[in-house]
Amino acid sequence: MPQTVCSGTMFTTPSGFSPHLACAEPGEEEEAPQEGSRPGACLADGPPITSASLDTLIQNLVPTTDYYPEAKVRKFGPKILQLLTEWTETFPSDFRDEKMVGHLKDIIHRIAACDEAYWKTMNQMLQKLNQRLALISQGEESIVKVSLNASSISDKLVAFKTKPPPIQKDMLSICNDPYTLAQQLTHIELEHLHHIGPEEFVQAFVQKDPLDGTDQKKKTTNLEAYVRWFNRLCYLVATEICLPAKKKQRAQVIEFFIDVARECFNIGNFNSLMAIISGMNMSPVSRLKKTWAKAKTAKFFILEHQMDPTGNFYNYRTALRGAAHRSQTANSNREKIVIPFFSLLIKDIYFLNEGCANRLPNGHVNFEKFVELARQVGEFMTWKQVECPFEEDQAILHYLHTAPIFSEDGLYLASYESESPENQVEKDRWKALRSNIMGKT
């Protein structure tokens, strides 16, 4: 849309943004309406608008008989076309509804009928929209497929000290190179990111308008699938550590995942890094003191320090800024990779959305808040567009997506079978788990 503003009573244009978004006061007093002014009178090349009433914003976007009349369609047609193009590119999911597609085609016919030059551009826009919708559908289908294939180990398969060789493959038998595994994890992370659109962030925090009678479901399928992937990776790491019968083997798995986590950090894959650290810090894993004593853990404590939540994840945020700077000046896709700790990103956006007022005290829309929201989501949108530079290994990817994992109870039982309970609470829980899961007393 053109960067013009209408003179009138409902805009403010302060010279700078307040650092306190929730308490932002308008920079200027509202002026009395000038005689003879009307909403259609616009000031071109004026200062940037930081607040305006919602009614005024709408009023200045809606043509009337005096404002952008039909005779001037060639003047406002390109602006409407730009708006529709950006809308369909940024929020394609809005057009999965047939009614919305009908509205879009109606507008296209109205504009294109006035100038044949618009037809080609309009058709290209519709073709790209159809391609994006097809990609969204494919992403959702792959999510369902992975969900169906990813099963849990029957907790009855927990091996005892006299257990036979494991019935299933383990991670090290599929991939014993930490660099390769970190790269394959990055493939999965970027694939998930590619499917998440900005509308999912909006839908995640939207509150249903009580005046809106429609019952619209939140379009957050890909976002929720990404969170599930993080949880799966946590449990997969914990399962791989708890599964081996011998202490030496468990220590070897711990050291392997430490190296994988370090390589994820070097790549800029902070989401997999945090999932691995979280899996290794799960209680059934952390209680394996004899196993940890046998493993070399100096690098793990360094990584833990990097992802320490102290100071609102100060160390992580510093590392993330470093990765983001590297991405901006990168010459290769390898250096452009920035995969944020996603749960924290969602938390940041949530608190910005909930903690900052949508309206200023004078009733104007709080532009500063929405500019900051757009900045954070926009930064994410830039990161997600990076093409993964690493070659895919289908065997490893298949294992990561489908390898069975223990439930929480299964992890505890496997942990107790590996290293006996140390106190009465653990003994009681072990006994209960053996009774419930193994059918033994």
Side-chain angles (χ1 to χ4, degrees):
M1 294 299 290
Q3 294 182 350
T4 59
V5 299
C6 293
S7 62
T9 65
M10 299 307 290
F11 285 114
T12 60
T13 57
S15 59
F17 286 149
S18 163
H20 307 292
L21 298 183
C23 303
E25 293 289 341
E28 296 179 358
E29 295 288 336
E30 290 189 16
E31 298 178 359
Q34 299 176 0
E35 186 175 354
S37 66
R38 60 182 177 82
C42 293
L43 300 176
D45 301 322
I49 299 303
T50 58
S51 73
S53 71
L54 186 59
D55 289 342
T56 302
L57 290 173
I58 295 174
Q59 192 175 30
N60 282 270
L61 289 172
V62 178
T64 66
T65 54
D66 297 322
Y67 181 51
Y68 283 150
E70 185 69 20
K72 296 183 179 179
V73 69
R74 286 179 176 81
K75 291 186 177 180
F76 78 86
K79 299 178 178 67
I80 297 296
L81 178 58
Q82 179 186 353
L83 172 63
L84 293 176
T85 300
E86 293 184 5
W87 190 356
T88 54
E89 288 179 351
T90 309
F91 300 103
S93 293
D94 286 353
F95 297 92
R96 300 181 78 172
D97 180 69
E98 293 183 5
K99 185 177 179 181
M100 284 293 294
V101 175
H103 288 320
L104 176 62
K105 291 182 177 179
D106 180 58
I107 295 174
I108 288 175
H109 283 292
R110 286 173 181 268
I111 297 176
C114 300
D115 193 329
E116 292 185 1
Y118 294 149
W119 276 113
K120 182 177 180 180
T121 305
M122 295 291 191
N123 285 329
Q124 290 176 344
M125 181 181 69
L126 285 174
Q127 289 175 4
K128 289 181 180 179
L129 174 60
N130 288 331
Q131 291 172 358
R132 289 187 181 88
L133 292 176
L135 286 174
I136 291 174
S137 297
Q138 290 174 8
E140 291 176 347
E141 289 174 4
S142 65
I143 288 170
V144 172
K145 185 176 180 181
V146 169
S147 297
L148 291 174
N149 289 335
S151 57
S152 296
I153 296 177
S154 169
D155 291 332
K156 290 186 178 181
L157 295 181
V158 174
F160 290 83
K161 293 178 181 178
T162 57
K163 63 186 179 181
I167 348 177
Q168 69 165 61
K169 293 181 178 179
D170 56 27
M171 186 73 252
L172 288 177
S173 69
I174 301 296
C175 175
N176 60 6
D177 178 14
Y179 298 97
T180 301
L181 182 57
Q183 292 172 0
Q184 299 310 303
L185 288 171
T186 302
H187 261 295
I188 295 175
E189 298 283 351
L190 286 174
E191 181 183 5
H192 276 287
L193 294 189
H194 282 321
H195 292 307
I196 299 175
E199 71 277 6
E200 297 210 29
F201 291 98
V202 177
Q203 289 289 328
F205 309 128
V206 71
Q207 293 185 356
K208 192 177 185 300
D209 188 341
L211 300 179
D212 183 4
T214 60
D215 183 21
Q216 296 182 342
K217 290 185 177 180
K218 291 183 178 180
K219 304 180 181 71
T220 56
T221 305
N222 297 297
L223 191 151
E224 292 169 1
Y226 193 31
V227 174
R228 288 198 300 272
W229 154 250
F230 179 91
N231 294 333
R232 170 174 170 76
L233 183 54
C234 291
Y235 274 83
L236 178 61
V237 169
T239 297
E240 294 287 336
I241 295 173
C242 290
L243 197 59
K246 296 181 179 179
K247 177 173 55 180
K248 181 179 179 180
Q249 293 173 322
R250 294 193 298 273
Q252 184 182 8
V253 176
I254 286 177
E255 292 176 355
F256 173 74
F257 276 114
I258 291 173
D259 288 337
V260 174
R262 184 178 63 170
E263 183 59 20
C264 285
F265 178 86
N266 293 335
I267 290 174
N269 180 358
F270 298 104
N271 202 57
S272 289
L273 167 62
M274 180 57 85
I276 293 171
I277 291 177
S278 299
M280 297 175 78
N281 278 328
M282 292 181 71
S283 295
V285 178
S286 61
R287 66 167 298 277
L288 298 173
K289 296 178 181 178
K290 295 177 181 178
T291 301
W292 281 94
K294 198 170 186 62
K296 299 174 183 178
T297 56
K299 290 179 289 186
F300 178 68
F301 297 133
I302 294 174
L303 292 170
E304 271 195 317
H305 178 70
Q306 288 290 342
M307 305 304 285
D308 189 337
T310 302
N312 193 19
F313 287 90
Y314 176 82
N315 294 335
Y316 158 70
R317 293 182 190 278
T318 301
L320 180 65
R321 284 195 299 270
H325 178 72
R326 179 187 68 184
S327 178
Q328 292 172 353
T329 59
N331 296 316
S332 66
N333 281 343
R334 168 66 178 79
E335 296 174 323
K336 289 181 181 179
I337 296 174
V338 182
I339 303 174
F341 174 28
F342 194 66
S343 294
L344 186 59
L345 174 66
I346 293 293
K347 180 181 177 182
D348 287 344
I349 294 175
Y350 174 81
F351 281 111
L352 175 59
N353 185 59
E354 294 297 314
C356 300
N358 289 338
R359 302 289 182 92
L360 299 176
N362 65 352
H364 288 191
V365 175
N366 187 355
F367 274 36
E368 293 184 85
K369 168 185 175 176
F370 294 108
V371 165
E372 179 60 19
L373 281 171
R375 185 195 68 77
Q376 292 192 19
V377 175
E379 192 173 43
F380 171 81
M381 299 304 292
T382 299
W383 295 337
K384 80 164 200 162
Q385 292 170 6
V386 175
E387 294 294 329
C388 190
F390 309 121
E391 184 178 352
E392 290 187 359
D393 187 312
Q394 293 301 326
I396 299 175
L397 292 174
H398 180 75
Y399 185 87
L400 289 170
H401 280 307
T402 63
I405 55 176
F406 280 129
S407 67
E408 185 175 0
D409 283 347
L411 284 174
Y412 270 108
L413 182 55
S415 179
Y416 293 143
E417 296 295 336
S418 297
E419 294 188 19
S420 301
E422 295 184 345
N423 53 54
Q424 192 59 46
V425 173
E426 287 190 344
K427 289 179 182 178
D428 291 342
R429 183 167 191 177
W430 183 27
K431 183 177 180 180
L433 289 173
R434 290 187 64 165
S435 176
N436 294 336
I437 296 175
M438 307 298 296
K440 295 186 176 184
T441 57

